């Protein structure tokens, strides 16, 4: 292997999301989000956890920013909580909420970190859920107005914008399987949500282009491309169906390729597309963010709407049974780059949950170090093979509220003692610090 292939431009960052880290759910005018409501229902979240306190970043952001800088990070990807900016979902902007993100962004820049802000990482104002949430087309327009408020008030403080985080999860886990807020299980609503999330992205893009702001703007997907379970024709077909249903419905419209035929014709799914929608969704993005954790396998299943079912794979798994499959990332990068050869790509999330044990002030999370190493080696290889990969963001900067898993799964490179909120860097944090500094023996 050659030496250091990540050039000086390569952006090393860490990521979190508002509901997972902020806490302070009713401070400075914030109103409930769908995750506050969903967490309150017994049985939805492991151990009955919720994000009321989370890791209290709302009050501890200065300490966190200092830690990021000490660990050599060059960028922080945070998400803005819609219920802080427009607590009623529509209408008045809450300047106290805006102020938090101004303070956070200023703190980041004062330490030389660049600011990557995601507009929607799943915390929809609960009042909008009461009007149908993402199954209602109006939500896309309310999102546009919220995005405009962010551009107006936070424009000078943000270096890169991401419209949505993983619309796959928002639509399918939120409205199809019901594992995530708002906890609905309804195929039709899920498909409506797919289109309205795509539309919301496009509307925000259109508004952004009118602002004259120069910071790059894109979106973040979690492309899912499972392998076929066997070399049988029908299993190969199943993997194409899986990619179409889980990934292409979000990816292709961004590149003006419409909704995939496997879904519209093969599965008979229709989307509530109105005149002009597809042009709006295809507004050119400046970069694409990719979140990557695992690759599965699928077999053909005639009885399933999406014509495929997951089957077990043989790779070693993380403590939440996600297989460790670094080569899947390479396949995805090539597939996505195939949409546009020049488009800058960022890994906006990658990481794993691990059984972290704090002992004498240290967490020797070697499993996580190995996981990260393997994926960084793939990033290098991808760049070698011509992928326009511009940065890597670890998920997550610190342990946090892992959605339906509550606090039972630790994804951080910083350990959080949930009793005291003390932050303790794990070995993986020190390893990344050195990788960023140029230490490159990660393969
Ligand atoms: C992604 C989410 C992120 C985190 C990781 C583990 O799907 O975007 O918030 O939960 O998974």
């Amino acid at each position: 292997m050659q030496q250091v292939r990540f050039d000086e431009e390569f952006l090393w960052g860490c990521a979190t999301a508002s509901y997972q880290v902020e806490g302070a759910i009713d401070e400075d005018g914030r109103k409930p989000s769908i995750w506050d409501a969903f967490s309150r229902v017994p049985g939805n979240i492991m151990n009955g956890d919720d994000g009321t306190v989370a890791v209290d970043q709302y009050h501890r952001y200065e300490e966190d920013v200092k830690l990021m800088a000490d660990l050599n990070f060059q960028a922080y990807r945070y998400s803005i909580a819609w219920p802080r900016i427009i607590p009623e979902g529509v209408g008045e902007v809450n300047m106290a909420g805006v102020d938090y993100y101004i303070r956070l962004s200023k703190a980041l820049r004062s330490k030389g970190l660049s600011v990557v802000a995601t507009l929607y990482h799943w915390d929809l104002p609960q009042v909008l859920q009461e009007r149908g949430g993402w199954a209602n087309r109006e939500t896309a327009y309310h999102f546009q107005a919220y995005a405009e408020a962010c551009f107006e008030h936070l424009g000078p403080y943000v270096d890169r914008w991401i419209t949505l985080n993983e619309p796959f999860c928002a639509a399918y886990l939120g409205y199809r399987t019901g594992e995530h807020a708002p906890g609905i299980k309804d195929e039709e609503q899920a498909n409506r949500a797919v289109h309205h999330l795509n539309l919301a992205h496009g509307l925000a893009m259109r508004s952004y282009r009118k602002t004259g702001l120069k910071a790059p703007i894109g979106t973040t997907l979690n492309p899912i491309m499972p392998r076929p379970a066997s070399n049988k024709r029908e299993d190969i077909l199943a993997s194409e169906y899986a990619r179409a249903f889980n990934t292409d419905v979000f990816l292709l419209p961004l590149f003006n390729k419409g909704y995939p035929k496997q879904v519209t014709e093969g599965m008979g799914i229709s989307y509530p597309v109105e005149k002009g929608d597809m042009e709006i969704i295809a507004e050119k993005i400046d970069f694409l963010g990719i979140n990557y954790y695992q690759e599965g396998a699928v077999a053909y299943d005639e009885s399933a709407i999406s014509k495929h079912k997951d089957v077990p794979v043989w790779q070693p798994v993380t403590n939440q049974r996600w297989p460790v499959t670094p080569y899947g990332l390479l396949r995805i990068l090539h597939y996505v780059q195939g949409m546009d050869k020049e488009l800058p790509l960022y890994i906006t999330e990658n990481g794993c949950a691990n059984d972290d044990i704090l002992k004498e002030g240290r967490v020797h999370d070697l499993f996580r170090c190995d996981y990260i190493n393997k994926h960084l080696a793939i990033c290098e290889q991808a760049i070698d093979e011509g992928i326009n990969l511009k940065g890597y963001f670890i998920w997550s900067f610190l342990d946090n509220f892992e959605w339906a898993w509550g606090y039972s799964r630790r994804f951080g490179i910083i350990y959080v003692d949930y009793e005291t909120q003390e932050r303790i860097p794990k070995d993986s944090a020190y390893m990344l610090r050195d990788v960023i500094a140029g230490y490159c023996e990660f393969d």
Side-chain angles (χ1 to χ4, degrees), residues 99-392:
D99 189 54
Y100 169 66
Y101 298 103
I102 293 180
R103 285 183 282 126
L104 171 60
S105 304
K106 281 187 174 169
L108 287 162
R109 284 189 175 169
S110 76
K111 293 268 179 209
L113 281 111
S114 78
V115 178
V116 182
T118 303
L119 290 169
Y120 187 71
H121 201 126
W122 311 346
D123 42 359
L124 186 75
Q126 174 62 17
V127 284
L128 293 185
Q129 192 56 47
E130 279 145 28
R131 302 190 207 165
W134 288 108
N136 180 354
R137 185 178 170 94
E138 288 301 307
T139 301
Y141 297 100
H142 298 325
F143 176 78
Q144 180 179 30
Y146 154 66
E148 284 170 0
C150 293
F151 299 149
E152 180 184 343
H153 298 289
L154 296 168
Y157 306 98
V158 172
D159 300 302
R160 281 180 188 76
W161 293 96
I162 294 173
T163 55
L164 306 179
N165 178 72
E166 301 188 1
F168 163 92
C169 292
Y172 290 152
L173 306 190
Y175 292 82
R176 186 166 187 257
T177 66
E179 293 159 71
H180 278 189
I184 292 167
K185 295 182 188 165
D186 182 311
E187 297 289 343
E188 208 245 320
Q189 286 195 52
N191 296 329
R192 294 178 66 78
V194 166
H195 182 64
H196 296 148
L197 282 153
N198 286 339
L199 180 63
H201 157 79
L203 289 168
M205 289 293 304
R206 283 261 163 116
S207 289
Y208 187 74
R209 296 302 183 208
K210 290 191 194 134
T211 63
L213 290 166
K214 294 283 171 276
I217 183 166
T219 188
T220 278
L221 303 182
N222 56 319
I224 294 173
M225 288 174 42
R227 278 165 281 141
S230 77
N231 57 13
K232 276 195 236 144
R233 233 195 74 77
E234 57 179 26
D235 288 342
I236 294 170
L237 194 64
S239 78
E240 282 165 19
Y241 274 124
R243 191 197 62 220
F245 184 74
N246 295 309
T247 299
D248 292 349
V249 296
F250 303 104
L251 185 69
L252 300 191
L254 295 176
F255 299 94
N256 209 9
K257 293 174 192 280
Y259 286 111
K261 288 216 163 49
Q262 291 99 328
V263 173
T264 52
E265 291 169 17
M267 301 172 203
I269 292 175
S270 62
Y271 297 97
V273 179
E274 294 189 11
K275 194 164 177 283
D277 285 3
M278 299 318 277
E279 289 75 31
I280 293 171
I281 299 169
E283 178 74 33
K284 196 167 168 14
I285 48 177
D286 298 323
F287 65 88
L288 185 66
I290 290 169
N291 293 352
Y292 181 76
Y293 293 92
Q294 56 167 324
E295 180 189 74
V298 290
Y300 190 75
D301 181 359
E302 181 59 42
S303 67
I305 289 170
S306 52
K307 304 286 177 228
H308 70 275
K309 62 175 178 211
D310 293 333
V311 296
V313 296
W314 291 102
Q315 277 83 2
V317 290
T318 70
N319 76 348
Q320 60 184 157
R321 308 207 64 74
W322 289 5
V324 181
T325 51
Y327 276 94
L329 174 58
L330 192 63
R331 283 185 271 274
I332 282 173
L333 287 170
H334 278 287
Y335 181 67
V336 169
Q337 194 80 75
M339 301 284 142
D340 175 347
K341 293 270 175 273
E342 308 294 322
L343 188 70
L345 306 180
Y346 290 84
I347 306 294
T348 39
E349 287 180 24
N350 175 240
C352 67
N354 185 43
D355 291 319
D356 295 324
I357 297 160
L358 176 66
K359 207 173 154 203
E360 290 155 11
R362 292 293 295 262
V363 179
H364 300 302
D365 57 340
L366 295 181
F367 185 91
R368 182 177 291 106
C369 290
D370 188 52
Y371 179 100
I372 297 169
N373 279 335
K374 289 191 165 105
H375 289 81
L376 288 181
I378 290 295
C379 291
E380 266 204 321
Q381 185 177 339
I383 293 169
D384 246 16
E385 293 176 4
I387 299 297
N388 194 14
L389 185 64
K390 295 295 192 192
Y392 176 94

